[in-house]
């Protein structure tokens, strides 16, 4: 999600077990309405992909939203939005302090992400596995636009 300034990003980590969405937002809530819409859609997605016998048991109430504390004035360059979002999600996944990610190291992080993607694209095992990939029916179904009210 970008603002007019072009340097805003939002990362979300969905915890299906605890029914919560952790929000990594460098703009401190500027796009809260999109996160709320996303949190409301998650139960419907989970219910639609659940086995038929479990669908009746699943609740459709929105997931709770938890704002992860962020440093002020991150992302001085509009080129680093994706790198910031990925590195904050990675910190969350690995249990690291998100304050480790800042403008001093983000260029190196962006370069590392690029190298990792290049290596994955040239990995013969990964390339062979991707030739056999068949999207599931839910990946080919209707797309939801979070900006529609």
């Amino acid at each position: 999600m970008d603002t007019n300034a072009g340097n805003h990003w939002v990362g979300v980590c969905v915890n299906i077990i605890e029914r919560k969405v952790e929000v990594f937002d460098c703009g401190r809530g500027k796009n809260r309405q999109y996160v709320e819409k996303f949190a409301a859609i998650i139960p419907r997605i989970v219910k639609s992909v659940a086995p038929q016998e479990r669908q009746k048991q699943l609740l459709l109430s929105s997931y709770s939203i938890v704002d992860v504390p962020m440093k002020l004035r991150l992302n001085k360059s509009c080129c680093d939005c994706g790198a910031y979002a990925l590195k904050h999600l990675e910190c969350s996944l690995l249990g690291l302090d998100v304050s480790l990610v800042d403008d001093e190291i983000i260029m190196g992080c962006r370069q590392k992400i690029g190298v990792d993607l290049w290596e994955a694209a040239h990995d013969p095992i990964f390339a062979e596995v991707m030739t056999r990939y068949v999207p599931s029916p839910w990946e080919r179904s209707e797309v939801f636009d979070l900006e529609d009210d």
Side-chain angles (χ1 to χ4, degrees):
M1 297 177 203
D2 270 338
T3 62
N4 294 333
N7 63 355
H8 184 77
W9 54 268
V10 176
V12 295
C13 185
V14 179
N15 184 326
I16 295 173
I17 305 300
E18 295 180 19
R19 298 180 53 85
K20 71 179 180 178
V21 177
E22 292 178 318
V23 181
F24 303 86
D25 184 358
C26 77
R28 300 186 178 260
K30 287 182 182 176
N31 286 309
R32 181 67 175 215
Q33 74 268 18
Y34 301 116
V35 175
E36 289 171 354
K37 290 178 181 180
F38 181 69
I41 281 178
I42 296 169
R44 288 171 172 74
I45 295 169
V46 171
K47 191 169 189 166
S48 71
V49 298
Q52 192 73 26
E53 63 275 5
R54 294 267 299 136
Q55 287 183 355
K56 291 180 182 177
Q57 301 166 347
L58 296 172
L59 303 173
L60 288 178
S61 59
S62 293
Y63 279 35
S64 63
I65 298 172
V66 178
D67 294 305
V68 176
M70 306 292 294
K71 284 183 182 178
L72 290 173
R73 291 184 218 108
L74 283 177
N75 198 32
K76 294 175 187 160
S77 166
C78 64
C79 300
D80 298 324
C81 302
Y84 264 106
L86 286 172
K87 295 314 275 184
H88 277 83
L89 292 171
E90 182 179 40
C91 283
S92 177
L93 177 69
L94 297 174
L96 301 172
D97 184 359
V98 295
S99 69
L100 296 171
V101 182
D102 59 24
D103 284 330
E104 292 181 29
I105 67 161
I106 201 63
M107 173 64 94
C109 293
R110 186 164 38 118
Q111 291 170 345
K112 171 92 170 76
I113 292 166
V115 169
D116 290 347
L117 289 171
W118 187 89
E119 287 176 349
H122 291 84
D123 182 309
I125 295 170
F126 182 69
E128 196 276 322
V129 167
M130 288 308 293
T131 63
R132 294 181 277 134
Y133 174 74
V134 177
S136 66
W138 62 268
E139 288 178 272
R140 295 184 299 256
S141 64
E142 184 178 344
V143 175
F144 296 97
D145 187 350
L146 294 179
E147 294 189 24
D148 288 345
D149 287 322

